[in-house]
Amino acid sequence: MHAGGRSDTLDQATKDFLSARPRLFGIAYRVLGSAVEAEDVMQETWLRWQNTDRTKVLEPAAFLTTVATRLAINLAQSARVRRESYVGPWLPEPVDTTEDPQLGAERAEALEMAVLLLLEKLNPVERTAYVLREAFDYPYGRVSEILETSEANARQLVSRARRHLAAERRERVTPAAHRRLLEVFLSAARTGDLSVLEDVLTADVVSYSDGGGIRGASKIPVIGRPHVSRYLVAFAPRFWPQADIRWVEANGLPAVLISAGGNAVALLSVDISTEGIDRLMWVMNPAKLAPYVASLRD
C-alpha cells in the first residue's frame, strides 16, 4: 500500500524515527529494565527502518513501535536466561528523569525502580502488555496487534500483571512524603540509629544490593525489619564516614547518589508505602552506575 505520496528520503526517514524515538525508548526501557539494552533496540530498529520499503508504510510511528516492541521482547527473553546467572540480586538500571519525567510515555506507570523490579517476575509478553496499556495507554486492539495475539488474551495479560503488582505493593505516598521519609531514613542509616530505622522500615522490608559481583555488595536480599535494621547499623561505621551525598532523581522519584573519593559507589532508591519503607534498592554495579552518573546535569 502506498503512503499517499510521502517522499521516501533518508531525511524523512530520520525525522520519522527521531519523532518516535522517545516513545520507542520508553517502551524498550520498561520492558528490559536496562537503558543500555534499550539503546541496542533503538539501533536495531533504526537499521531495520533504513532497510524497509518505506513507501509501503502508512504510519511510520505505528510501524516503528511494533518493530521496537518485538525486538525488546526478544531481547528480554534472552536477558532472562542471562540474569539467572547474575551474581547477587538484579536491579533495573536507573535513569535520570529530570528532562523527561515520564520517559516518553503518556503516563509514568511502570517507570519506578520498584515496579520494574516486580515486573521482571512476569514473562516478557505479560510485562510488555502491561507497559503498552498502563504507561502508553494503547487500546487493547493495538496491544493485541503488536503482540500478535487476540484482544481477549491481551486483556488477560494486562489483568495478570495488574494482579501481580497489586499483590506486591501497598498504597503509595506522595513524592513529597517519599522525600521526607527517605531523609529520615538516610539520617538514621548514617548515624546507625537503630530505633529510628525500626520505626521507618516495614515489618517485611527487603534490602537489595546489586553489585553484579564486582563490588562487595550482599549477594542475597536482606529480609525483614530486624535483619535489615541491624545490617544497616553494622555497616554504618565503615560505609558512611567516607561518603558524599547528592540528592538526585531516578526513575521519577527522589534518590540518593553516594560517592567516595570522587567516585560514585551506590545509588539508593526506596519504595515507600503508607506503612513505611518496603524496599531498599542499592545499585552498586559500576556498569549500571556509570551511565546514570554520566547523564546527570552538574
Side-chain angles (χ1 to χ4, degrees), residues 169-173 181 198-204 225 271-278:
R169 297 190 91 202
R170 303 180 178 99
E171 182 183 351
R172 299 297 94 198
V173 297
L181 195 56
E198 290 179 334
D199 189 49
V200 298
L201 300 175
T202 60
D204 55 354
R225 182 190 290 136
D271 192 26
I272 299 179
S273 70
T274 53
E275 295 183 21
I277 296 176
D278 295 318

Side-chain angles (χ1 to χ4, degrees), residues 187-206:
S187 175
R190 295 177 76 178
T191 57
D193 191 327
L194 182 63
S195 63
V196 173
L197 289 171
E198 290 179 334
D199 189 49
V200 298
L201 300 175
T202 60
D204 55 354
V205 62
V206 183

Side-chain angles (χ1 to χ4, degrees), residues 11 44 76 142 149 178 185 263 277:
D11 281 349
E44 181 61 26
R142 180 71 180 115
T149 187
H178 184 106
F185 167 81
N263 297 313
I277 296 176

